[in-house]
């Protein structure tokens, strides 16, 4: 009895603590791609909750119907044949559930891996987001500026983040605007998002990357296009340019505050090629090698024939 009371006390204590927590940000989306992901997560939770409900109801029914009884010691239960219908049913149902969740997941992934719905006719703002140690660098090629540990974006315009890393693999994530995607040192990955309203959203690295991982956060602030243009113009006019020496200093530092620059590191430290470009280069090299081997074989054949 004491153990049951203790467990109940712990359970109610946990509920009381969780009741004071803020709602999970993934369930408070502020953009179309984040809304798609949030809806998919909620649908998956409802599906799994329904499965658990059915299982628990069946468990209670089985425990009640086939519980031990006060039958005599020589009682022998009647033989019952297996039901082919039941066997087919409990085999087919899991297949249907898995297929349903798979289709939903594939459709969601396809949707969020492209420009947000409703923004097809708008030119995306491209921002290069790179990580180093436990900080983030945001380069704006269109505006010719760069920020550290914060990023500003306009609302009602598609945003295309090009991700890469100057160190270990990290994961770029702004829960209220999009899902997470890895940033690696030898290739670019792309994440699409858009903000529907003005606001401030916390982003972070969601992939453990060392002792400073917990502090690797940044603020993503959405604003009107007019305010964004004014901010970008002010940075371009008032901030110092980012030199190679200063950028190397930033790369070596473990933690830094926010800063802005009137130029980007892309001028002297360009981003790595995208995966598709790597593949094209690999195919070209492979083609050259094959062509070279063919030429060598042809030359050897001619030399042999001549001899």
């Amino acid at each position: 009895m004491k153990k049951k009371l203790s467990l109940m006390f712990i359970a109610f204590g946990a509920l009381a603590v969780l009741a004071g927590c803020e709602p999970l940000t993934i369930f408070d989306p502020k953009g179309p791609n984040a809304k798609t992901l949030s809806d998919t997560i909620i649908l998956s939770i409802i599906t799994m909750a329904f499965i658990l409900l059915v299982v628990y109801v069946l468990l209670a029914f089985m425990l009640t119907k086939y519980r031990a009884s006060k039958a005599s010691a020589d009682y022998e239960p009647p033989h019952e044949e297996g039901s082919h219908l039941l066997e087919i049913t409990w085999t087919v149902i899991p297949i249907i559930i898995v297929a349903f969740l798979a289709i939903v997941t594939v459709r969601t992934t396809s949707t969020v891996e492209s420009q947000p719905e409703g923004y097809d006719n708008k030119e995306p703002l491209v921002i290069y987001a790179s990580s180093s140690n436990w900080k983030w660098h945001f380069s704006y090629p269109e505006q010719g500026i760069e920020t550290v540990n914060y990023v500003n974006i306009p609302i009602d315009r598609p945003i295309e983040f090009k991700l890469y890393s100057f160190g270990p693999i990290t994961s770029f994530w702004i829960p209220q605007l999009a899902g997470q995607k890895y940033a690696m040192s030898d290739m670019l990955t792309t994440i699409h998002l858009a903000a529907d309203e003005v606001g401030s959203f916390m982003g972070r690295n969601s992939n453990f990357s060392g002792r400073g991982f917990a502090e690797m956060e940044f603020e993503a602030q959405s604003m009107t296009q007019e305010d964004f243009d004014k901010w970008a113009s002010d940075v371009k006019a008032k901030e110092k340019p980012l030199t190679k020496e200063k950028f190397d200093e930033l790369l070596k530092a473990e933690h830094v505050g926010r800063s802005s620059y009137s130029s980007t590191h892309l001028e002297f430290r360009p981003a790595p090629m995208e995966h598709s470009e790597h593949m094209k280069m690999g195919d070209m090299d492979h083609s050259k090698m094959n062509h070279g081997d063919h030429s060598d074989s042809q030359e050897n054949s001619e030399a042999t024939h001549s001899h």
Side-chain angles (χ1 to χ4, degrees):
M1 186 66 181
K2 290 183 178 180
K3 289 183 178 180
K4 290 183 178 180
L5 289 174
S6 299
L7 289 174
M8 290 180 62
F9 178 76
I10 293 172
F12 282 117
L15 288 173
V17 171
L18 292 174
C21 294
E22 295 182 2
L24 292 173
T25 53
I26 57 172
F27 297 125
D28 185 24
K30 301 300 181 182
N33 280 358
K35 180 70 164 56
T36 299
L37 292 170
S38 177
D39 290 345
T40 301
I41 293 172
I42 292 173
L43 177 61
S44 300
I45 292 173
I46 292 174
T47 302
M48 290 183 282
F50 175 74
I51 295 169
L52 287 175
L53 177 63
V54 172
V55 170
Y56 288 142
V57 169
L58 289 175
L59 176 63
F61 172 75
M62 295 298 178
L63 292 176
T64 303
K65 181 175 177 61
Y66 299 103
R67 69 187 184 276
S69 61
K70 297 180 179 179
S72 60
D74 59 347
Y75 171 76
E76 184 177 342
H79 176 73
E80 294 184 6
E81 292 290 340
S83 171
H84 293 296
L85 178 61
L86 284 176
E87 291 177 0
I88 292 172
T89 300
W90 64 53
T91 301
V92 171
I93 289 177
I95 294 175
I96 294 174
I97 293 171
V98 172
F100 168 71
L101 291 176
I103 292 171
V104 171
T105 302
V106 169
R107 291 185 61 183
T108 297
T109 303
S110 176
T111 300
V112 300
E113 284 294 322
S114 56
Q115 199 158 296
E117 294 181 1
Y119 293 87
D120 301 333
N121 299 325
K122 295 185 178 181
E123 184 70 21
L125 171 64
V126 177
I127 303 175
Y128 286 80
S130 55
S131 61
S132 66
N133 281 339
W134 301 289
K135 54 192 173 297
W136 291 94
H137 311 261
F138 298 96
S139 306
Y140 297 75
E142 184 179 325
Q143 288 73 26
I145 61 175
E146 183 160 328
T147 61
V148 178
N149 286 336
Y150 81 98
V151 59
N152 289 347
I153 59 174
I155 62 172
D156 298 329
R157 180 178 178 182
I159 310 298
E160 193 173 292
F161 280 102
K162 300 288 188 180
L163 313 174
Y164 61 102
S165 172
F166 286 101
I169 294 177
T170 54
S171 181
F172 182 88
W173 190 29
I174 309 176
Q176 290 182 273
L177 297 180
Q180 69 86 27
K181 184 167 282 191
Y182 292 115
M184 294 167 278
S185 61
D186 61 344
M187 63 179 285
L188 282 179
T189 53
T190 303
I191 191 167
H192 300 271
L193 58 85
D196 292 335
E197 59 185 71
V198 173
S200 175
F201 316 106
M202 290 307 299
R204 63 171 297 112
N205 167 27
S206 62
N207 184 66
F208 181 75
S209 59
R211 62 180 180 273
F213 154 77
E215 301 173 23
M216 197 172 175
E217 297 181 338
F218 62 90
E219 180 187 14
Q221 186 171 359
S222 60
M223 54 187 67
T224 63
Q225 184 67 53
E226 182 181 355
D227 289 342
F228 175 80
D229 292 337
K230 183 178 183 304
W231 166 79
S233 299
D234 288 344
V235 172
K236 189 69 175 176
K238 299 177 181 178
E239 301 295 341
K240 296 180 180 179
L242 181 59
T243 62
K244 185 177 183 302
E245 293 73 20
K246 179 61 178 176
F247 185 67
D248 290 339
E249 181 183 325
L250 287 172
L251 291 182
K252 292 178 183 178
E254 293 190 354
H255 300 284
V256 297
R258 299 186 182 189
S259 56
S260 308
Y261 302 93
S262 58
S263 63
T264 75
H265 72 262
L266 299 175
E267 300 171 6
F268 48 83
R269 292 287 293 273
M273 292 186 296
E274 294 195 48
H275 183 65
S276 58
E277 294 178 356
H278 277 292
M279 296 297 291
K280 290 178 182 177
M281 292 295 292
D283 292 341
M284 290 175 61
D285 292 341
H286 184 68
S287 176
K288 289 179 180 178
M289 289 176 63
N290 289 341
H291 181 71
D293 292 343
H294 177 73
S295 300
D296 291 344
S297 300
Q298 186 175 3
E299 289 176 2
N300 292 336
S301 177
E302 291 176 355
T304 303
H305 179 74
S306 175
H307 179 69

